[in-house]
Amino acid sequence: MVNPAEKLEQACADAWPAQVERRLGDWRLRAAGGFTGRANSALALGDPGRPVPDALSEICEFAHAHRIEPMAQAVRGGPVEDALARAGWVPHETYVNGHEVSVLLGPLRPGARGTGEDGVRVLGAPTPGWWELTVDRPEPTEAERHVLTGGARVGYGVATREGRTVGAVRGAVAGGVLLVARLAVRPEYRGQGLGTALMAAVGGWAGRHGATRCALQVSVRNERALALYERLGFGEHHRYRYWVPGAR
């Protein structure tokens, strides 16, 4: 029987593609120039097809070859975490973006808003304004462009006011799931419902492309985002953590 957490994690990985990926049994070694932990860690789910210590050595070799930190992403409380601990790896508690992530599952919420009448719509390609809100520049790096535009079917939600992009979100559909990421609203436009409208818009878009549910990955430290998604009907499905080699 397929583990539900692992199945959802595989769909999320398909929706967030690394520049370089190599299979190691069921595991996926990934690198993308250091842009995000998800695209620069080994997705350690299932059986790597060899003893775990050997698989971890391959993770280190792959990471060093691509000039990134050796790191594994594993479902919290799952059997892989036990194997990582036995091999001397430890949770990456100093990871700047938070080493523990809550994976939320909820409705698509297409709603009545987000159809373009209120300046919120979903585009087929990113604009300079979307990039500026998403990566803080109107032009992305090669790694950022690959991760954010590659892989699964992707939609780029934007909210505009007087010709200016004031809100953005990325939606990608894989395995019947909409993965929402990079939701951002300019500080001076917060509190006006734009985050909810962007979620509604990308949810409606995803429903037309076969998605039946929505997933989000949020650091457990991001209390503001967790509170927003709880109000929108999302609940925690599982958590994952990043692990790194322990001190030698």
Side-chain angles (χ1 to χ4, degrees), residues 20-33:
V20 181
E21 180 175 309
R22 179 164 70 84
R23 292 280 183 166
L24 193 65
D26 296 330
W27 292 16
R28 299 163 75 155
L29 311 188
R30 303 172 294 185

Side-chain angles (χ1 to χ4, degrees), residues 37-59:
R38 283 178 283 169
N40 290 274
S41 59
L43 183 60
L45 301 174
D47 182 4
R50 64 216 68 198
V52 168
D54 293 345
L56 296 178
S57 294
E58 293 200 42
I59 288 177

Side-chain angles (χ1 to χ4, degrees), residues 52-197:
V52 168
D54 293 345
L56 296 178
S57 294
E58 293 200 42
I59 288 177
C60 292
E61 292 174 4
F62 177 87
H64 293 151
H66 293 284
R67 299 182 179 180
I68 60 174
E69 179 181 21
M71 189 161 66
Q73 176 190 342
V75 172
R76 174 150 195 176
V80 172
E81 281 206 330
D82 292 339
L84 290 170
R86 288 194 299 271
W89 283 46
V90 296
H92 193 359
E93 295 181 352
T94 60
Y95 182 57
V96 65
N97 293 320
H99 82 291
E100 186 168 345
V101 177
S102 177
V103 180
L104 309 176
L105 200 61
L108 290 179
R109 293 193 63 86
R113 301 188 64 190
T115 59
E117 295 179 2
D118 55 3
V120 178
R121 61 197 188 282
V122 179
L123 308 176
T127 63
W130 187 91
W131 282 119
E132 187 173 356
L133 269 176
T134 304
V135 298
D136 298 322
R137 296 178 309 281
E139 282 293 329
T141 65
E142 183 179 343
E144 291 166 343
R145 185 179 297 279
H146 182 94
V147 173
L148 294 172
T149 66
R153 183 183 293 274
V154 182
Y156 308 90
V158 295
T160 56
R161 292 290 185 269
E162 299 178 348
R164 182 189 186 202
T165 302
V166 300
V169 69
R170 178 187 187 269
V173 176
V177 176
L178 165 67
L179 175 67
V180 170
R182 297 281 160 167
L183 177 64
V185 175
R186 293 189 184 277
E188 63 269 33
Y189 289 90
R190 291 173 184 165
Q192 300 179 22
L194 290 178
T196 301

